[in-house]
Amino acid sequence: MTDWFPLWLSLRVSATATVVAAMVGIGLAYLLAKGRFRGRGLLEAVATMPIVLPPTVLGYYLLTTLGVNSPVGRAWERLFGGPLVFTPTAAVVAASLSALPFVVRTGRAAIEDVDPRLEAALRVAGHPEWRIATLVTLPMARRGVLAGIALGFARALGDFGATVMVAGNIPGRTQTLPIAVYDSVQAGNDSAARTGALILAGIAVVVLLTVTSLSTRRT
Amino acid sequence: MTTDRSRADPGVTVDITTTVGAFTVTADFTASAGITALFGPSGSGKSVTLATVAGLLRPDRGTIALGDSVVADPARGVHVPTQDRRLGMVFQHAGLLPHRSPLDNVAIAVRTGNRTRRRELAGSWLDRVHAGHLATTPTATLSGGEQQRIALARALAGQPRLLLLDEPFSALDQPTRRSLRQLVRDLVDAHDLTAIVVTHDLDDIAHLADRVVLYEPGSTTTSHDLEPDRPDELLRLLRLIT
């Protein structure tokens, strides 16, 4: 009988990470698209880094930042009574950071694409900037933003390197599906590896089809 | 800030220089009740002036006063945000929210009252632009002329001190253009509005404007009052810019 725990954990971790990345990412995307402030370029570079860094390096930095000897790790332990690293929560942190750049970059492009005259019309009508964002900018950019979130979800679901560094590979606790596939191959368990690989590929195809339909059904 | 008195004294005094990239435009004119046309060839900076009056751009120097309240004066650090200038504006393309109904698009611009009251007022503005029957028609399916009527209702629904029209008819066909021009004329007269319209169409000058501010590339604007019973005036203006 196949062990479904890794799939279940992967879905839970990547769903949570997608929510986190969407909330932080939409805010960052809006700030980068509309804001004119010092350090904007640097902020964009930092938010994009998880795409270009080797995932193991991202995981290494997370491990250093969140580990039991770090200030963050110690604070976490005092608050919650146990370490953060090598838990499903650590996997969520890794997956969120991996997903973030997709939400930020795709969302930013979609926000910049919104016709500035629509926003100007509401500004003239007396609405504050946050109202314009919720009435005009985000609804008009929603397809691009959703495409970014879908890509982020796929990236979160597929993360291997960062997750294995910071959450480890504990079967039944932190072993996500991509890690389980690796384990199965190492153990010569071909049928489990094939099942896991097929599921991940299937989800990836569905996500990509969603992204395509979001980006082509434009008015 | 906005009182009945300022509604009764709605003139605008503009003396500004605005720079956008390598392009600089200087405008110096006064507009009182009625329709003032900013007229000149494309690229002469009419829309830049209008955007500066709206507060969407900041002038490098000079002042803009609505009635007796100064809304822009960089030398004294004055820049009243667009939101607080109490304006109405119509663009060349209507700029309606495609995901909202025409009624919602107008209701968004009503500044007072609860949701029901705002929708009532929006409905009455739709009636006044002869678009009451379009209140719930999907916005994206409206024709250019219909969208522009609704944009006009939206601009007026906020009871603006000043109505700004940026080439509002130029994307429309001739018959639609004529009927919308008449609509603007009627509304300005009925509500005693001050309006500034940017145009490069001589027909707008002939049939709509009470005074015209001429834009010549590279120089400060000049203002001319139009007297309706002097058709040779138009020819004189035309000669000035050609």
Side-chain angles (χ1 to χ4, degrees), chain B residues 7-70:
Chain B
R7 288 271 299 156
D9 174 28
V12 51
T13 311
V14 175
D15 174 14
I16 47 167
T17 302
T18 311
T19 302
V20 182
F23 180 66
T24 297
V25 53
T26 298
D28 182 2
F29 63 90
T30 304
S32 47
I35 299 174
T36 301
L38 309 189
F39 181 67
S42 297
S44 54
K46 311 179 292 288
S47 294
V48 169
T49 302
L50 205 70
T52 312
V53 172
L56 300 169
L57 294 173
R58 286 170 184 255
D60 304 325
R61 59 145 287 277
T63 56
I64 301 168
L66 298 180
D68 47 18
S69 72
V70 174

Side-chain angles (χ1 to χ4, degrees), chain A residues 117-118 120-129 132 135-136 139-140, chain B residues 56 82-83 87 89 91 93 95-100 108-109 111 154:
Chain A
R117 287 170 302 187
L118 296 185
L122 275 260
R123 209 164 282 140
V124 171
H127 291 288
E129 297 300 324
I132 297 170
L135 276 172
V136 187
M140 296 295 292
Chain B
L56 300 169
T82 299
Q83 282 91 339
L87 309 168
M89 193 160 182
F91 300 87
H93 296 284
L96 301 177
L97 305 181
H99 56 289
R100 296 295 195 100
I108 272 173
R111 291 170 200 250
R154 175 177 66 184

Side-chain angles (χ1 to χ4, degrees), chain A residues 121-122, chain B residues 89 94-97 105-106 109 149-158:
Chain A
L122 275 260
Chain B
M89 193 160 182
L96 301 177
L97 305 181
N105 266 285
V106 178
R149 279 175 195 277
I150 288 150
L152 190 58
R154 175 177 66 184
L156 294 172

